[in-house]
Amino acid sequence: MSYKYILFNKPYNVLSQFTDNIDESNQRQTLKDYIPVSSVYPVGRLDRDSEGVLLLTNHGQLQHRLTNPKFAHPRTYWVQVERIPDDAALRKLQQGVTIKNYQTRPAKVKLLSAQPKFPPRDPPIRFRKTVPTAWLEITLTEGRNRQVRRMTAAVGFPTLRLVRVAIASLHMNELQPGEWRDLNQTEIESLKQIVFENTKK
């Protein structure tokens, strides 16, 4: 079997699936509107209101390892939040916070010194002249439903915009919203090494 590996920069308001099974009367945008490749499936998901890199493949074992919490792998997000988090809030995020009776794993969290040069979001985030915003880099090794948004809300800094910039060794780099590309051989081997930890592929 020939395996396919695709990296996609998912725009805002696009479902992380190829069909819209919920709203047939008002079809929402799906992966099918962007990726004309058959027999590949997204590894995990990004919420409709989140943006950034999404990996698609037909390699079932790799897909299983990347989505099973037992085989933790890093996912990095750049997150715009309302107001400027202080050191205490950053420490809480790093140590783990309680969300719906669940304690999140420790995370890597830092305040970005400059605003990322992402294209403007359509529609734009809500803007309030009197309320500043900040960008955080958050790296998790788990991917529970709406976890990043719930984590920042738990420490008092609601998420305004969420962009995933990396999955394991795969980075967004120059990939623009709505664009996709095949992984090169170096990226595929690096990903397999991370996922399978040098065991037999």
Side-chain angles (χ1 to χ4, degrees), residues 116-155:
K117 294 181 179 179
F118 293 133
R121 201 187 76 178
D122 181 24
I125 66 160
R126 68 177 185 269
F127 175 74
R128 291 193 289 171
K129 189 180 291 186
T130 58
V131 181
T133 68
W135 282 86
L136 301 175
E137 180 178 277
I138 300 178
T139 300
L140 306 178
T141 56
E142 58 187 338
R144 290 176 176 261
N145 184 39
R146 300 185 75 78
Q147 180 170 335
V148 172
R149 296 176 188 278
R150 288 173 172 166
M151 286 175 66
T152 67
V155 296

Side-chain angles (χ1 to χ4, degrees), residues 46-178:
L46 275 176
D47 294 317
R48 184 181 174 193
D49 53 356
S50 300
E51 308 161 66
V53 291
L54 188 67
L55 176 66
L56 298 96
T57 185
N58 59 350
H59 189 162
Q61 189 181 10
L62 182 136
Q63 188 175 36
H64 168 71
R65 290 259 180 155
L66 283 172
T67 53
N68 190 327
K70 176 182 175 183
F71 306 104
H73 71 279
R75 307 167 180 87
T76 300
Y77 303 83
W78 285 357
V79 188
Q80 187 177 18
V81 297
E82 206 169 76
R83 302 184 296 110
I84 315 295
D86 54 17
D87 289 342
L90 296 179
R91 280 196 300 272
K92 287 180 182 177
L93 292 172
Q94 290 165 348
Q95 294 166 359
V97 296
T98 301
I99 302 172
K100 291 190 173 183
N101 300 320
Y102 170 75
Q103 179 76 12
T104 64
R105 294 176 184 169
K108 294 180 180 178
V109 182
K110 68 179 182 181
L111 198 61
L112 294 178
S113 58
Q115 179 175 325
K117 294 181 179 179
F118 293 133
R121 201 187 76 178
D122 181 24
I125 66 160
R126 68 177 185 269
F127 175 74
R128 291 193 289 171
K129 189 180 291 186
T130 58
V131 181
T133 68
W135 282 86
L136 301 175
E137 180 178 277
I138 300 178
T139 300
L140 306 178
T141 56
E142 58 187 338
R144 290 176 176 261
N145 184 39
R146 300 185 75 78
Q147 180 170 335
V148 172
R149 296 176 188 278
R150 288 173 172 166
M151 286 175 66
T152 67
V155 296
F157 299 87
T159 290
L160 300 173
R161 187 175 183 185
L162 177 61
V163 183
R164 184 161 64 190
V165 295
I167 302 172
S169 57
L170 305 175
H171 295 266
M172 180 188 294
N173 294 334
E174 302 304 315
L175 205 60
Q176 296 300 304

Side-chain angles (χ1 to χ4, degrees), residues 8 10-23 27-32 34 42 45-49 54:
F8 175 54
K10 188 189 88 64
Y12 179 82
N13 221 20
V14 174
L15 298 175
S16 293
Q17 57 199 52
F18 281 93
T19 56
D20 184 357
N21 301 321
I22 298 175
D23 192 353
Q27 290 288 297
R28 298 171 292 181
Q29 281 199 311
T30 69
L31 301 177
K32 189 177 180 180
Y34 294 89
R45 61 192 296 275
L46 275 176
D47 294 317
R48 184 181 174 193
D49 53 356
L54 188 67

